[in-house]
Amino acid sequence: MSLLRLENLSRSFGGIDAVDNLSFAVEPGPIHSIIGPNGAGKTTLFNLITGLYKPSSGKIFFNESDITGKHPWQLAGLGLARTFQNLQIFFNMSAVENVMVGMHLKSDTRFHASLLRFKSIVTGDRLNRERAAELLNFVDLGDYVGSETSSMPYGALKRLEIARALAADPSVLLLDEPAAGLNPAETESVDSLIQKVAANSVTVILVEHDMRLVMGVSDHIFVLEGGRLLAEGKAYDIRHNPDVVAAYLGESGRVR
Amino acid sequence: MLLGIKELDCHYGRIQALHGIDMAVDEGELVALVGANGAGKTTLLRTISGIEPASGGSITLDGHDITHYSSDKRVRLGIIQVPEGRQMFAPMTVEDNLMIGGYTRSGDERSETLEQVFAMFPVLKERRHNAAGTLSGGQQQMLAISRALMARPRLLLLDEPSMGLSPLLVDEVFATIQKLRDAGTTIFLVEQNAYMALAIADRGYVMEAGAIVLADSGERLIVNDRVKEAYLGL
Amino acid sequence: MNLATPRTGGMLALAAVIAILPLLLPNSFYYDIVILIGINAIVCIGLNLLIGYTGQISLGHAGFFGIGAYFSGILGANYGWPAFASMLAGAAFVAAVSFIIARPIMKLKGHYLAMGTLGMGIIISIVLTQEGDLTGGPDGMPVPPFSVFGFSLYGEKTWYWVVGVSLLITVWLALNLVDSPVGRALRSVHGSEVAAETLGVNVPHYKVQVFVTSAVIASFAGSLFAHYAGFITPDEAGFVHSIELVTMVVLGGMASTFGAVVGAAILTVLPQLLTVFHDYEMLVFGTILIGTMIFMRRGLVPTIAALFGERKE
Amino acid sequence: MKQGFIRHFTTVAAVMALGLGASVSGAKAAETIKIGSFLAVTGGASFLGDPEKKTLEMYVEKINAEGGVLGRKLELIIYDSQGSPKKAVPFAKRLISDDKVDVLLAGSTSGATMAVIPIVEAAGIPYISFGGAGVIVNPVKKWVFKTPHTDTLAVRKIFNDMKKNGLTKVGLLSGSGGFDKSCRKQTLALAGPSGMTMVADETHGKGDTDMTPQITKIKNTPGIQAFMYCGFGAATSIVAKNFKQLGVSVPHYQTHGSASMSFIKNAEGGAEGVRLPAAALIVVDALPDSHPQKKVASAYRDMYTSKSGDSVSTFGGHAYDGLMIVVEAIKRAGSTNKEAVRAEIEKTRNYIGADGIYNMSPKDHLGLDEESFVMVEVRNGTWKMLK
Amino acid sequence: MFAEFLQFLFSGITVGAIYALVGLGFTIIYNASHIINFAQGEFVMLGAMSAVFFVSVGMPMPVAMLLAIIITIFIGLALVKLAIEPARNASIVTLIIITIGASIFLRGAAQVLWGRNFHSLAPISGNDPIMIGGAAVLPQSLWILGSAMLIVMALRYFFDRTLIGKAIVASAHNPLAARLAGINARFVLLLSFGLSAMLGAVAGFLIAPISLAYPSVGIMLGLKGFCAAVLGGLGNPMGAVLGGLIVGISEAMTAGYISSAYKDAVAFIIILGVLFFRPSGLFGIRGTERV
């Protein structure tokens, strides 16, 4: 049984196919990566899987049930969580509150209860706050528990997004370029964070440009080009696949 | 030295996208800048064009400091960029796109260059009254380059001219670039398609994580495994 | 209860001010101003939930204020309903109207949302102006006094306490809401709609919820105003009033409940101070609006709170 | 957050205290008799408020120069309500409770008057309004009086004139303000009893600048013999202008709401031939010397035109009559005791004013009758009295 | 009855032409900067009030009009320098509030300078109507229609034929590419505000003989012009012109055949309908903002 399966998935913008009749299956396992040159359709694919875009055609299955066309907030309830290539931090909230939003679906969200501050809200928030602090510790942001997000450095915000996504207790975590904009040292610690997340039996699907990170951490790699699947396999195979090399660097033989 | 860049930094929001870039382009040269996605190549071009402000270091043209010049002033000085994704004025005609390209030049210069451009790309002349958005991808790339030529560039900055084009068209674009170089235009080419770019370049720079990690002649870089490493993390 | 937290501390401070203020007010004219501050503050607290916390502009909220006011006026004066009943009926009607309109209107973004809410408000005020047989037309209509269990509420001093307590309750409810899972969901919509959605926040649902909430609060305040003032005109529902309300929210501070109170206070007192130079009133208003947006984009209270915060560190 | 809030409230309190200080210093000399007023000095109804303000000011000055009332000087406090009922309410409150005036002579429009009536009644202060609509004093409210002729009187006068000319089928256009609506209501109610048929009944919105569609419809109503307009202010001129532009040929009637030179001026020729009932004041020179009002009216006219340099309108006359009635009542009451003054105003008998001869009673807080009107027609850009 | 219909049509087209000019003003600024200038109605007011003022101090009508245009343009440019540029990179809500602030400020300034009273402005060529098919048409209406047509044609020429005009259009379609072609974005912004102010001023002194001039005359004209612009698809100049005519004619027809009471509501009812069912406007080419 596959965890996530795409069936002839397509999505076009203004006549251009960003994702083009794509089919593949993600088997349960700790860390998967989706790579490909610029414009290969990786982020569009993430947006399709998490329901932000509706596919032009095709289907998406999660745990073998059809989730095509479901709203993002419904998918979150099924166990899909993600981070974003461009930071999508709630800058109008503190770090710990950002993480608490991640627990939205497990919180008491009755309107009148919130308005009148029922006991369930008070205790629920206290527990959520404690759990959020734990999660911040987990992603090594223990020092920022009380911080306003507007004063946090970029690298910390990248981790905060991961903590926030984990707060939803996902079974699958989609990370969209977690290392983008980070220096090598920060990238290395993101590397170990990903492994730590995977060790907690969360399946990670990673889109990333930093090949060193991808090759080092992935159990399975999918290569996209022009919205289609170019290759898939283990890191070693991918790296020595001539199609992949050509996709990335161009064909060395052609000009000379 | 036409373009000189020293210790250039650029912050993109909270991210430091460029870390102390040092590089130069000489008159008449074709210099390629290669590197993986997200390495900071486009940011470097945007900083040279004045779209992104530099947060440190300097940019000089002919030895004059232009680090704090506005983008339109740089265009007047001859630094012209062909942006990534072609960026047509899609509903406007081919001819209007070209005229806008020559916005900073005098009327006579514009009509003169227009003739040259049409001679170089007859298809554009044929379709001069069509909306730019109706051109094919390859024609749009030609138009994008032509639009830049209308400004009579001293330094032409090309950002990913091969992106989204079929292999046949990529060849055509690269042939055009070579032709321009042969005609004496100084070109700074940013490409993901590293092998092709380096193959036609006099010199090349390899960028990784916002910094230049390697600089050499095109021929030598093309056989350097460090390039492949920058892309595929070997 | 921890007195040191901003919520309880702020509540206590506000309660203290409300309790002490009567000692400083020389006559009913000053009570009148303070009562109007209170009523405006109530509307602004609601509107702030929408604009400040959820990030959705409305240039038509005076329309809901007007509906509340006119329900009290019409049902009270023309049909002899008890004040409480007409107030609740107004609120229920506003809830229904705002619920119906919220779905399509809250789908809009940016300028389109501004245009949509503006049009909605103007249509409401035109209906109130034109249905003269019910509403008295452009010159307005009288509203019977508020009576509970046969006692009529008369006089500024009585109303002072009514409005004061209403304000405290509204502040309390707003503070509760903001610091709750629902409140964080609302704020997350402002922070990043896509991120909120992927974390399980049903964004359209919450937008509708907060729109309706702020509309109902405005309706209650409108009813209070109608019974207190004893006379209402369609101006209460007009475009200019909507803009005044937004100005109060923006000046006091977006996403700050106490900011809404401060904004309401300043912009209610200001015209009174400027009566002597009232020709300059609009000039001053406009300047304040532009100046705040350029120099203190977050508004008075958050900006000053941030200054204090920095100094402490 | 907390500190920010407290600090801010201090600022607000300080600002309010400042305002308080200012007003305390303003309240001095308890000896004066305070007359409070809010008028539409500026804005769309300024043609009402402006002459009213000037009249009150010049006569208060005159009275004070002559030694005041009961040996006390009059003190006039005027706010500009810009014709808006919404703005009138806070001013009324301020006059009553902060300025502590003895009597209110205020309200240029019916709308503003109606808005403050509940406050005035609750506070118990004598109030004379300059609003036109009959509803102000009908039903009678204990503390509320008015000086201008009502719409009812005007409608009667107009209908009489129409009958005299054999016109019975009337097309009506009205605005949507307080006076306009009240006038329309009276017109519709009085039409049947007076033998009139209203063949068209159109309305326009407040602030409308083009009445062509409504007048077109009225023009095309079959059998129409006369056109009548209920309204006041800028709209009167626009209606007259549009009426002329559309080439409508039936006689054109307006009310005393149009009785000012600005009506004729702004209509740019459109007013020629318009008939309306007006106070004798505006045709004072045409009055026979035997006319009881001639002396009072011409004295007021001369005073107003010489002091203000403007031409006289009936609206200033309302203010003149109001002020004089109050002054007389205070003199008779011998004090500014509110109840006493109120009772004396109610006892006004045979007071000859600019607007007519007033005979008030507990049942009539206006005291004018139809006879106080004359019918006038606009000819050659000025008023011409009709027989 | 046909004459009646014609009468309504003429009055609708007259006021519709004014809405069209105001709507064009919104569109030009929106294209150059994605700002909705809520002070656009105040440009109309300034055009009307300053023309009245210059005529009242004894200037001949053409001079007064020219001065009114110059003053309004100057104020438009000052608005950019003092309120828009200092708030660069601000959010949409912030910019909306800034331009609303500017509109309140300008209304206040006009009140201080010229008072709150209504002023009339003499029509350009008299008040004697011309009868067409039984309907009376004012000479001023013809002036309005003629001027509006002339302006629309001149603007088309400017945007289609001149390099500077094309540069503004290019900046609207693709701001980045326009900057890379050496077009100064601040210049385009200034130019667009100047042009819009000019349009407003012309609309103002053209409508003043019909609507009178007073400080708040611009509020409704501005809002309805905004309706026209949104109706035509925000950013589409010819759409704004059509939108203006549609709003004007629907208003006149509503007033004529249904009820004048809801005349002012017509524009907003249409606009809500369009926003709910066709958010990109009737003639909008661009879709709504993408996530």
Side-chain angles (χ1 to χ4, degrees), chain E residues 23-195:
Chain E
L24 263 178
F26 276 106
T27 306
I28 291 172
I29 290 178
Y30 180 79
N31 273 344
S33 60
H34 279 232
I35 292 170
I36 289 296
N37 173 30
F38 275 88
Q40 188 66 29
E42 272 53 47
F43 291 159
V44 179
M45 178 272 291
L46 285 170
M49 292 296 275
S50 47
V52 167
F53 170 75
F54 289 121
V55 167
S56 77
V57 297
M59 301 207 177
M61 188 70 105
V63 179
M65 287 175 174
L66 193 68
L67 286 173
I69 291 180
I70 291 172
I71 284 200
T72 313
I73 290 179
F74 176 77
I75 286 168
L77 299 183
L79 179 62
V80 176
K81 284 287 167 201
L82 299 177
I84 308 284
E85 279 193 357
R88 237 167 304 156
N89 307 325
S91 71
I92 288 180
V93 172
T94 307
L95 285 166
I96 287 176
I97 292 168
I98 284 179
T99 58
I100 287 177
S103 79
I104 296 176
F105 179 90
L106 291 175
R107 238 178 291 149
Q111 274 181 16
V112 171
L113 274 177
W114 297 308
R116 280 197 190 81
N117 292 343
F118 288 65
H119 304 275
S120 57
L121 184 67
I124 299 173
S125 47
N127 253 328
D128 300 326
I130 302 154
M131 301 304 289
I132 300 174
V137 182
L138 289 183
Q140 188 68 18
S141 296
L142 298 179
W143 276 105
I144 290 175
L145 270 180
S147 316
M149 256 151 58
L150 208 69
I151 286 175
V152 169
M153 275 168 7
L155 279 179
R156 281 204 78 139
Y157 181 84
F158 176 70
F159 286 122
D160 290 354
R161 295 271 178 272
T162 69
L163 190 65
I164 294 183
K166 284 177 190 171
I168 296 182
V169 177
S171 306
H173 289 310
N174 193 327
L176 172 70
R179 282 183 72 185
L180 289 175
I183 297 167
N184 184 330
R186 291 170 67 172
F187 173 69
V188 168
L189 185 68
L190 275 173
L191 195 61
S192 67
F193 267 83
L195 266 178

Side-chain angles (χ1 to χ4, degrees), chain C residues 20-28 30-31 34 157 160, chain D residues 16 20:
Chain C
I20 292 166
L21 210 52
L23 304 175
L24 302 171
L25 298 175
N27 60 41
S28 56
Y30 289 85
Y31 276 92
V34 178
K157 290 196 178 138
Y160 176 86
Chain D
M16 291 205 40
L20 180 127

Side-chain angles (χ1 to χ4, degrees), chain D residues 68-316:
Chain D
V69 177
L70 304 178
R72 292 157 68 181
K73 298 258 188 254
L74 298 182
E75 184 188 340
L76 189 60
I77 302 165
I78 301 183
Y79 296 114
D80 180 7
S81 67
Q82 297 164 33
S84 150
K86 183 183 157 73
K87 292 206 162 78
V89 171
F91 284 134
K93 286 182 180 166
R94 186 169 187 163
L95 285 166
I96 293 168
S97 54
D98 194 39
D99 298 320
K100 301 199 186 321
V101 299
D102 295 300
V103 53
L104 280 174
L105 279 169
S108 306
T109 63
S110 305
T113 303
M114 294 308 288
V116 304
I117 282 177
I119 299 161
V120 169
E121 287 288 301
I125 181 166
Y127 172 38
I128 296 186
S129 159
F130 310 142
V135 288
I136 295 172
V137 290
N138 183 22
V140 171
K141 291 145 199 94
K142 186 178 178 196
W143 297 92
V144 183
F145 301 85
K146 66 177 247 145
T147 51
H149 313 82
T150 59
D151 35 28
T152 321
L153 296 178
V155 173
R156 285 214 185 98
K157 193 87 184 173
I158 291 170
F159 280 174
N160 283 341
D161 194 70
M162 286 179 178
K163 265 195 277 187
K164 223 161 46 183
N165 292 297
L167 310 167
T168 54
K169 296 209 162 90
V170 184
L172 176 69
L173 173 64
S174 39
S176 44
F179 171 78
D180 320 37
K181 282 196 313 179
S182 167
C183 169
R184 171 176 172 267
K185 215 166 125 190
Q186 298 302 327
T187 309
L188 297 179
L190 291 170
S194 319
M196 293 286 163
T197 321
M198 305 311 289
V199 290
D201 174 20
E202 294 290 326
T203 54
H204 69 77
K206 204 171 192 174
D208 275 4
T209 54
D210 180 12
M211 284 56 149
T212 326
Q214 291 92 337
I215 299 177
T216 305
K217 274 163 85 179
I218 294 173
K219 178 189 168 191
N220 294 330
T221 310
I224 184 168
Q225 293 172 330
F227 172 81
M228 175 173 169
Y229 176 62
C230 270
F232 70 90
T236 57
S237 305
I238 298 174
V239 167
K241 209 158 76 174
N242 290 164
F243 187 86
K244 184 121 295 179
Q245 285 160 357
L246 289 171
V248 193
S249 54
V250 298
H252 181 171
Y253 286 86
Q254 296 210 2
T255 66
H256 56 309
S258 314
S260 79
M261 284 309 283
S262 65
F263 160 65
I264 300 178
K265 192 178 132 243
N266 287 333
E268 294 164 352
E272 270 316 284
V274 173
R275 298 177 160 203
L276 49 91
L281 175 62
I282 62 168
V283 285
V284 66
D285 289 334
L287 293 176
D289 285 344
S290 60
H291 196 286
Q293 278 177 262
K294 176 130 188 172
K295 207 174 118 210
V296 180
S298 51
Y300 168 69
R301 196 265 318 262
D302 296 343
M303 169 104 170
Y304 185 84
T305 46
S306 69
K307 281 244 174 178
S308 70
D310 302 339
S311 59
V312 74
S313 73
T314 51
F315 314 120

